[in-house]
Amino acid sequence: MTLEKMTPRHLPAARRLNGRAVGVSVLLAASMALGGCSLLPSGNQGNQGTEPKPAASTAAPAEQDVAKPPAKPAEPLSAAQELSDKVKASLTKLATVTKAPNREQMLAAMLEAGAVKEQVELSVDITPTGLAVDAVESATRVAEECVIGQVRDGNVAVMVLPVLASGRCFVGDIH
């Protein structure tokens, strides 16, 4: 039997593999031709500092002459937003001292920020099985919003969220 008369099933493996290799090579070349340019650095990135950058005075006159719309007056911060900034500063100060504060330290930081002691809610710092929690959270209600702060591994997160239907910031009995 000659190679010309053989069906693809009867062709030697080297012949079939060669056809596949050609097909893969064609696909690879086509993908590089179509998408390869996007992989190259564009503009000045490859040779930073070698080409002079245009000075600000050479900017197009149209850009300089365009009248900017008048800036909107900044809306005053709500009481919760103001307290949120203070809580963030206070908790950041606490996080520099300890990466995992306890409830008393979180309460002290909230009071330092200006929260009212009777309004402060604190999460637990020990699980029911006696293990330390990953993060301690504190919250205080300001009008119809809650300022919630958290210290986790020395990182601080503070957000303002709406009050829950219960009138509290946290769910549950322990506050």
Side-chain angles (χ1 to χ4, degrees):
M1 201 180 219
T2 65
L3 287 177
E4 291 82 31
K5 293 181 182 179
M6 290 184 159
T7 62
R9 186 177 62 146
H10 292 89
L11 284 176
R15 205 61 202 249
R16 278 184 285 165
L17 181 61
N18 195 12
R20 287 184 185 157
V22 170
V24 169
S25 298
V26 169
L27 284 176
L28 181 61
S31 66
M32 288 179 64
L34 294 175
C37 294
S38 65
L39 299 175
L40 297 174
S42 62
N44 247 0
Q45 292 177 357
N47 44 351
Q48 291 177 350
T50 58
E51 293 183 23
K53 295 184 181 185
S57 61
T58 62
E63 292 176 14
Q64 293 175 353
D65 297 337
V66 174
K68 295 181 181 177
K72 293 181 182 178
E75 293 181 26
L77 295 176
S78 70
Q81 291 168 332
E82 286 181 17
L83 183 60
S84 139
D85 292 340
K86 294 175 184 175
V87 166
K88 184 162 186 141
S90 182
L91 291 179
T92 301
K93 180 178 162 185
L94 175 61
T96 61
V97 176
T98 179
K99 289 185 173 192
N102 59 32
R103 288 175 57 116
E104 291 77 26
Q105 291 169 319
M106 290 293 284
L107 176 61
M110 291 295 284
L111 297 177
E112 179 184 316
V116 177
K117 185 175 183 175
E118 292 75 29
Q119 293 286 327
V120 175
E121 298 177 38
L122 297 164
S123 66
V124 296
D125 55 357
I126 301 291
T127 67
T129 59
L131 301 173
V133 296
D134 292 335
V136 177
E137 296 183 349
S138 59
T140 187
R141 182 176 171 167
V142 179
E144 293 303 311
E145 296 178 299
C146 290
V147 176
I148 301 173
Q150 177 190 82
V151 177
R152 179 186 298 264
D153 293 327
N155 297 315
V156 175
V158 177
M159 63 192 75
V160 178
L161 297 172
V163 174
L164 298 173
S166 65
R168 302 194 66 91
C169 298
F170 288 161
V171 176
D173 298 343
I174 302 172
H175 299 288

